[in-house]
């Protein structure tokens, strides 16, 4: 029970005492009453006084207990205040310190007991005191909670950066009665921010330098690309001139070659009639050599058309057995000259295919000439044909040295010749042109080879639709 609750009870006891005094005075003035009545009234008053005294004693004990509890709470909150990790200050409205905890005393390098009564502004660095007072005045005018960053200047230590968070405590009239301050040392944070700022500035410098380097590199690359483009254009122009010259040259060579082959055929017919075997053999050698040159010239013409994109095919329905027999006859003399057995194994009644006879003849001629070129003396080259899975397959197999697996992926490249084959005759165009012509027919070429056991080139062509 609070002290305010005692006031009416004490007033009631005073009134009872006054009534008792009035009764005693009246009793003296009036005739005497009997002692029994007097005793009874006194006992009644005494009992009332005892009851009131007991109530006062109980209320006193309750008040003592409440005071002890309030004191315990005050000590507990004071301990929390004193041992808080951050610095806490309580000042009046003018900023004079009233209370300070241990952390605040350590930060301000002043004993806790000596902080009370000191103006907080005296701990602010002199250049910042005016601004501190201005902000404090604004807070008193109507602010609630604010956070400032200030420079704390101590007498014996170097200054440090601090964060001040201040909250105003106002009475019901809105007047500031006290200020609660939270004080923190933010030196490390400031150092980190400064390090971050310097790192950012350094990064910006490096970015600018790198940007300059990249711009320089890009300019060099653009210049190099321009030079390469000019060189490529020059190379393409030279390649175009070379292709045109080669096309013209090969065209001019092929015409007299055709005449030579024609006359060789006429002479062969004549010597056969006369039975001159030696002359026949010489003419066959002449015809074989002319066919080889004719094949080379034709390959160059085909290469020019393929590179220019002008390759056209005069397709028709044809039987490959007749075409293969003609190719076999053309290179039989060459095989005999190389001491190679040339076999022809054709499937009877082979289905027709749709293709350009001249182009396909060049395909098989190139493959056959390639096989003869890599087959050693006393070896064998075989031409086979068959029908398989809706396609006509022509295979040309030899007993030469074979091809390694590493060489097969680059076998059909233009001008491709391995180091060990550079001493052999040829231009490296035969397989490239054969593959291009077969693919122009919608077919494909496959290679099978075991090193030391020869190679087999297979051409797959679709059967003609009847």
């Amino acid at each position: 029970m609070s002290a305010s609750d005692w006031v009416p009870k004490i007033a009631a006891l005073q009134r009872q005492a006054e009534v008792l005094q009035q009764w005693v005075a009246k009793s003296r003035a009036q005739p005497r009453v009997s002692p029994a009545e007097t005793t009874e009234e006194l006992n009644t008053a005494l009992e009332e006084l005892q009851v009131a005294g007991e109530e006062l004693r109980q209320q006193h004990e309750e008040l003592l207990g409440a005071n002890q509890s309030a004191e315990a709470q005050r000590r507990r909150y004071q301990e929390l205040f004193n041992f808080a990790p951050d610095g806490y200050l309580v000042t009046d409205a003018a900023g004079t310190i009233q209370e300070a905890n241990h952390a605040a005393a350590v930060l301000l390098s002043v004993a806790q007991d000596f902080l009370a009564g000191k103006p907080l502004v005296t701990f602010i660095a002199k250049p910042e005191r005016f601004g501190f007072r201005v902000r404090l005045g604004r807070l008193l005018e109507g602010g609630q909670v604010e956070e400032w960053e200030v420079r704390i200047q101590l007498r014996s230590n170097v200054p440090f950066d601090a964060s001040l968070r201040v909250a105003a405590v106002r009475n019901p009239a809105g007047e500031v009665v006290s200020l609660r301050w939270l004080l923190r040392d933010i030196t490390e944070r400031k150092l980190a921010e400064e390090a971050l700022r310097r790192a950012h500035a350094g990064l910006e410098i490096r970015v600018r330098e790198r940007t300059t380097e990249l711009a320089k590199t890009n300019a060099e690359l653009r210049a190099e690309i321009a030079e390469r483009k000019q060189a490529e254009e020059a190379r393409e122009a030279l390649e175009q001139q070379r292709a045109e010259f080669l096309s013209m040259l090969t065209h001019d060579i092929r015409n007299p070659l055709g005449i030579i082959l024609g006359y060789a055929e006429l002479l062969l017919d004549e010597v056969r009639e006369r039975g001159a075997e030696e002359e026949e053999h010489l003419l066959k050698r002449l015809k074989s050599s002319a066919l080889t040159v004719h094949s080379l010239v034709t390959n160059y013409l085909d290469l020019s058309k393929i590179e220019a994109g002008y390759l056209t095919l005069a397709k028709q329905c044809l039987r490959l057995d007749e075409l293969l027999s003609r190719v076999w006859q053309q290179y039989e003399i060459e095989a005999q000259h190389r001491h190679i057995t040339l076999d022809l194994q054709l499937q009877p009644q082979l289905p027709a295919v749709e293709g350009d006879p001249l182009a396909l003849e060049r395909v098989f001629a190139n493959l056959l000439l390639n096989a003869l070129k890599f087959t050693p003396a006393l070896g064998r080259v075989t031409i086979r044909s068959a029908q398989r899975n809706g396609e006509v397959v022509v295979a040309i197999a030899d007993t030469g040295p074979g091809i390694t697996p590493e060489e097969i992926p680059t076998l059909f490249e233009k001008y491709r010749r391995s180091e060990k084959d550079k001493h052999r005759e040829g231009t490296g165009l035969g397989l490239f042109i054969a593959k291009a012509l077969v693919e122009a027919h919608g077919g494909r070429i496959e290679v099978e080879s075991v090193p030391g056991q020869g190679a087999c080139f297979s051409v797959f062509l679709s059967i003609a639709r009847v």
Side-chain angles (χ1 to χ4, degrees):
M1 183 177 292
S2 62
S4 61
D5 295 333
W6 291 9
V7 175
K9 293 185 177 296
I10 294 174
L13 290 175
Q14 289 177 349
R15 286 195 298 272
Q16 289 179 357
E18 290 176 356
V19 170
L20 183 59
Q21 289 177 356
Q22 291 176 2
W23 180 80
V24 171
K26 186 185 294 184
S27 63
R28 289 176 181 175
Q30 294 179 357
R32 291 179 175 269
V33 293
S34 64
E37 292 179 354
T38 302
T39 301
E40 183 178 356
E41 289 182 0
L42 287 175
N43 287 336
T44 300
L46 182 60
E47 290 176 357
E48 291 178 355
L49 285 174
Q50 288 177 347
V51 171
E54 182 64 21
E55 290 180 354
L56 285 175
R57 186 185 64 77
Q58 292 178 356
Q59 292 172 0
H60 178 67
E61 290 178 352
E62 292 176 358
L63 183 59
L64 286 177
N67 286 337
Q68 290 175 356
S69 176
E71 180 63 21
Q73 290 183 357
R74 189 193 69 78
R75 286 197 301 271
R76 185 165 60 253
Y77 286 123
Q78 187 65 37
E79 290 175 356
L80 291 175
F81 176 78
N82 282 333
F83 295 105
D86 294 318
Y88 286 99
L89 298 168
V90 179
T91 69
D92 59 13
T96 301
I97 299 174
Q98 296 174 335
E99 291 184 67
N101 70 348
H102 178 72
V106 172
L107 285 174
L108 299 177
S109 298
V110 177
Q112 190 172 354
D113 296 337
F114 292 100
L115 277 176
K118 294 184 179 298
L120 181 57
V121 71
T122 58
F123 296 97
I124 306 299
K126 289 183 179 180
E128 299 184 10
R129 290 181 182 179
F130 178 77
F132 178 83
R133 291 190 178 96
V134 171
R135 284 182 289 187
L136 183 60
R138 292 175 182 171
L139 177 66
L140 297 176
E141 291 176 0
Q144 276 305 115
V145 179
E146 292 188 13
E147 186 167 353
W148 308 330
E149 290 186 2
V150 297
R151 188 83 168 161
I152 300 296
Q153 178 67 61
L154 306 177
R155 294 181 180 178
S156 57
N157 298 329
V158 295
F160 64 90
D161 294 301
S163 168
L164 283 177
R165 183 178 177 85
V166 56
V169 179
R170 300 179 183 274
N171 59 18
E175 299 173 345
V176 175
V177 295
S178 65
L179 298 173
R180 309 293 173 87
W181 304 80
L182 171 62
L183 175 63
R184 286 177 178 166
D185 185 350
I186 59 172
T187 302
E188 293 184 359
R189 193 188 83 188
K190 284 291 186 178
L191 291 175
E193 290 176 353
E194 178 63 19
L196 184 62
R197 186 192 64 78
R198 291 179 180 176
H200 182 70
L203 182 61
E204 287 185 345
I205 293 173
R206 289 195 295 273
V207 168
R208 286 195 297 269
E209 293 175 349
R210 185 57 180 161
T211 302
T212 303
E213 292 177 1
L214 289 175
K216 182 179 179 181
T217 303
N218 287 337
E220 294 175 352
L221 285 175
R222 283 194 295 269
E224 183 177 354
I225 290 172
E227 291 178 0
R228 289 186 178 182
K229 185 177 180 181
Q230 292 177 357
E232 183 66 19
E233 291 175 351
R235 188 194 65 79
E236 290 178 355
L238 289 174
E239 184 66 21
Q240 181 66 25
Q241 293 176 4
R242 184 198 65 81
E244 292 175 355
F245 173 76
L246 189 60
S247 176
M248 178 185 65
L249 182 62
T250 52
H251 185 273
D252 291 342
I253 293 175
R254 190 169 67 164
N255 288 335
L257 275 176
I259 297 174
I260 292 172
L261 287 171
Y263 279 115
E265 192 67 35
L266 290 175
L267 291 173
L268 275 173
D269 291 340
E270 182 182 346
V271 296
R272 286 192 188 104
E273 291 177 357
R274 291 191 288 107
E277 295 181 1
E278 185 177 353
E279 293 180 8
E280 182 181 356
H281 179 71
L282 291 174
L283 286 172
K284 284 183 177 180
R285 289 289 308 278
L286 174 64
K287 181 181 177 182
S288 176
S289 298
L291 282 172
T292 301
V293 176
H294 185 272
S295 176
L296 292 174
V297 172
T298 305
N299 282 342
Y300 276 116
L301 286 175
D302 288 339
L303 175 63
S304 300
K305 293 177 182 179
I306 292 170
E307 290 181 337
Y310 296 146
L311 181 64
T312 57
L313 300 175
K315 291 184 179 181
Q316 63 186 51
C317 189
L318 58 91
R319 301 182 65 85
L320 288 181
D321 49 1
E322 298 175 357
L323 188 147
L324 292 173
S325 297
R326 188 163 60 250
V327 172
W328 176 78
Q329 290 174 356
Q330 290 175 355
Y331 287 94
E332 183 182 12
I333 300 301
E334 181 67 22
Q336 292 176 2
H337 175 66
R338 295 172 181 262
H339 305 287
I340 297 172
T341 301
L342 182 59
D343 291 337
L344 182 63
Q345 301 174 6
L346 301 180
Q347 176 181 316
Q349 299 178 349
L350 195 66
V353 298
E354 185 178 1
D356 185 330
L358 294 178
L360 291 178
E361 183 175 338
R362 290 197 295 276
V363 169
F364 299 124
N366 282 339
L367 294 177
L368 181 55
L369 187 58
N370 187 73
L372 292 172
K373 182 170 61 175
F374 286 95
T375 302
L378 304 180
R380 181 180 297 272
V381 175
T382 304
I383 304 174
R384 291 191 297 266
S385 66
Q387 178 183 352
R388 189 187 308 163
N389 299 326
E391 294 177 312
V392 173
V393 183
V394 177
I396 298 178
D398 62 61
T399 58
I403 307 168
T404 63
E406 294 78 15
E407 292 179 304
I408 291 178
T410 61
L411 201 59
F412 294 96
E413 292 180 357
K414 184 171 57 174
Y415 301 120
R416 187 265 178 198
R417 300 185 71 187
S418 63
E419 290 293 330
K420 64 182 180 180
D421 298 331
K422 287 189 175 180
H423 66 281
R424 302 180 187 271
E425 71 274 13
T427 60
L429 291 174
L431 294 180
F432 170 77
I433 291 173
K435 182 174 184 290
L437 293 176
V438 170
E439 290 179 348
H441 282 80
R444 68 186 187 280
I445 294 183
E446 295 181 0
V447 183
E448 296 177 359
S449 178
V450 176
Q453 299 182 20
C456 179
F457 288 78
S458 299
V459 177
F460 295 79
L461 297 171
S462 299
I463 296 174
R465 296 180 181 179
V466 180

PDB file of all heavy atoms in Angstrom, residues 62 107 109 144 159 300 305-306 423:
ATOM      1  N   GLU A  62       3.737  -3.659   4.424  1.00  0.00           N
ATOM      2  CA  GLU A  62       3.555  -3.730   2.973  1.00  0.00           C
ATOM      3  C   GLU A  62       4.396  -2.662   2.266  1.00  0.00           C
ATOM      4  O   GLU A  62       5.009  -2.920   1.221  1.00  0.00           O
ATOM      5  CB  GLU A  62       2.091  -3.559   2.603  1.00  0.00           C
ATOM      6  CG  GLU A  62       1.223  -4.733   3.043  1.00  0.00           C
ATOM      7  CD  GLU A  62      -0.250  -4.495   2.747  1.00  0.00           C
ATOM      8  OE1 GLU A  62      -0.568  -3.385   2.237  1.00  0.00           O
ATOM      9  OE2 GLU A  62      -1.091  -5.377   3.020  1.00  0.00           O
ATOM     10  N   LEU A 107      35.248   4.625 -22.526  1.00  0.00           N
ATOM     11  CA  LEU A 107      35.385   5.309 -23.812  1.00  0.00           C
ATOM     12  C   LEU A 107      35.854   6.758 -23.626  1.00  0.00           C
ATOM     13  O   LEU A 107      36.652   7.265 -24.412  1.00  0.00           O
ATOM     14  CB  LEU A 107      34.057   5.275 -24.565  1.00  0.00           C
ATOM     15  CG  LEU A 107      33.661   3.941 -25.194  1.00  0.00           C
ATOM     16  CD1 LEU A 107      32.261   4.020 -25.780  1.00  0.00           C
ATOM     17  CD2 LEU A 107      34.650   3.546 -26.286  1.00  0.00           C
ATOM     18  N   SER A 109      37.484   7.873 -21.007  1.00  0.00           N
ATOM     19  CA  SER A 109      38.718   7.906 -20.194  1.00  0.00           C
ATOM     20  C   SER A 109      38.568   8.761 -18.940  1.00  0.00           C
ATOM     21  O   SER A 109      39.488   9.506 -18.536  1.00  0.00           O
ATOM     22  CB  SER A 109      39.901   8.411 -21.038  1.00  0.00           C
ATOM     23  OG  SER A 109      40.148   7.534 -22.113  1.00  0.00           O
ATOM     24  N   GLN A 144      12.797  13.202 -31.810  1.00  0.00           N
ATOM     25  CA  GLN A 144      12.641  12.085 -30.895  1.00  0.00           C
ATOM     26  C   GLN A 144      13.943  11.299 -30.757  1.00  0.00           C
ATOM     27  O   GLN A 144      14.519  11.239 -29.692  1.00  0.00           O
ATOM     28  CB  GLN A 144      11.541  11.127 -31.377  1.00  0.00           C
ATOM     29  CG  GLN A 144      10.119  11.508 -30.991  1.00  0.00           C
ATOM     30  CD  GLN A 144       9.918  11.701 -29.500  1.00  0.00           C
ATOM     31  OE1 GLN A 144       9.635  12.808 -29.079  1.00  0.00           O
ATOM     32  NE2 GLN A 144      10.080  10.677 -28.699  1.00  0.00           N
ATOM     33  N   PRO A 159      42.225  11.292 -30.603  1.00  0.00           N
ATOM     34  CA  PRO A 159      40.774  11.337 -30.852  1.00  0.00           C
ATOM     35  C   PRO A 159      40.320  10.095 -31.619  1.00  0.00           C
ATOM     36  O   PRO A 159      41.103   9.416 -32.276  1.00  0.00           O
ATOM     37  CB  PRO A 159      40.604  12.601 -31.685  1.00  0.00           C
ATOM     38  CG  PRO A 159      41.932  12.842 -32.303  1.00  0.00           C
ATOM     39  CD  PRO A 159      42.951  12.334 -31.337  1.00  0.00           C
ATOM     40  N   TYR A 300      41.200 -31.164-112.290  1.00  0.00           N
ATOM     41  CA  TYR A 300      41.379 -29.718-112.096  1.00  0.00           C
ATOM     42  C   TYR A 300      40.149 -28.947-112.563  1.00  0.00           C
ATOM     43  O   TYR A 300      39.728 -27.973-111.926  1.00  0.00           O
ATOM     44  CB  TYR A 300      42.622 -29.235-112.843  1.00  0.00           C
ATOM     45  CG  TYR A 300      43.895 -29.436-112.064  1.00  0.00           C
ATOM     46  CD1 TYR A 300      44.889 -30.287-112.524  1.00  0.00           C
ATOM     47  CD2 TYR A 300      44.105 -28.757-110.869  1.00  0.00           C
ATOM     48  CE1 TYR A 300      46.063 -30.477-111.811  1.00  0.00           C
ATOM     49  CE2 TYR A 300      45.276 -28.934-110.154  1.00  0.00           C
ATOM     50  CZ  TYR A 300      46.249 -29.800-110.616  1.00  0.00           C
ATOM     51  OH  TYR A 300      47.404 -29.983-109.902  1.00  0.00           O
ATOM     52  N   LYS A 305      35.057 -26.080-110.832  1.00  0.00           N
ATOM     53  CA  LYS A 305      33.591 -25.990-110.772  1.00  0.00           C
ATOM     54  C   LYS A 305      33.084 -26.140-109.344  1.00  0.00           C
ATOM     55  O   LYS A 305      32.163 -25.433-108.926  1.00  0.00           O
ATOM     56  CB  LYS A 305      32.990 -27.069-111.660  1.00  0.00           C
ATOM     57  CG  LYS A 305      33.248 -26.874-113.146  1.00  0.00           C
ATOM     58  CD  LYS A 305      32.670 -28.032-113.951  1.00  0.00           C
ATOM     59  CE  LYS A 305      32.965 -27.871-115.453  1.00  0.00           C
ATOM     60  NZ  LYS A 305      32.437 -29.010-116.242  1.00  0.00           N
ATOM     61  N   ILE A 306      33.677 -27.070-108.595  1.00  0.00           N
ATOM     62  CA  ILE A 306      33.236 -27.278-107.206  1.00  0.00           C
ATOM     63  C   ILE A 306      33.485 -26.028-106.374  1.00  0.00           C
ATOM     64  O   ILE A 306      32.619 -25.576-105.607  1.00  0.00           O
ATOM     65  CB  ILE A 306      33.959 -28.501-106.607  1.00  0.00           C
ATOM     66  CG1 ILE A 306      33.485 -29.788-107.287  1.00  0.00           C
ATOM     67  CG2 ILE A 306      33.706 -28.583-105.101  1.00  0.00           C
ATOM     68  CD1 ILE A 306      34.308 -31.001-106.930  1.00  0.00           C
ATOM     69  N   HIS A 423      56.509 -38.881-102.354  1.00  0.00           N
ATOM     70  CA  HIS A 423      57.340 -39.298-103.489  1.00  0.00           C
ATOM     71  C   HIS A 423      56.507 -39.927-104.598  1.00  0.00           C
ATOM     72  O   HIS A 423      57.005 -40.172-105.685  1.00  0.00           O
ATOM     73  CB  HIS A 423      58.399 -40.306-103.017  1.00  0.00           C
ATOM     74  CG  HIS A 423      57.800 -41.612-102.550  1.00  0.00           C
ATOM     75  ND1 HIS A 423      57.224 -41.749-101.306  1.00  0.00           N
ATOM     76  CD2 HIS A 423      57.685 -42.815-103.181  1.00  0.00           C
ATOM     77  CE1 HIS A 423      56.792 -42.991-101.164  1.00  0.00           C
ATOM     78  NE2 HIS A 423      57.044 -43.657-102.289  1.00  0.00           N
TER      79      HIS A 423
END
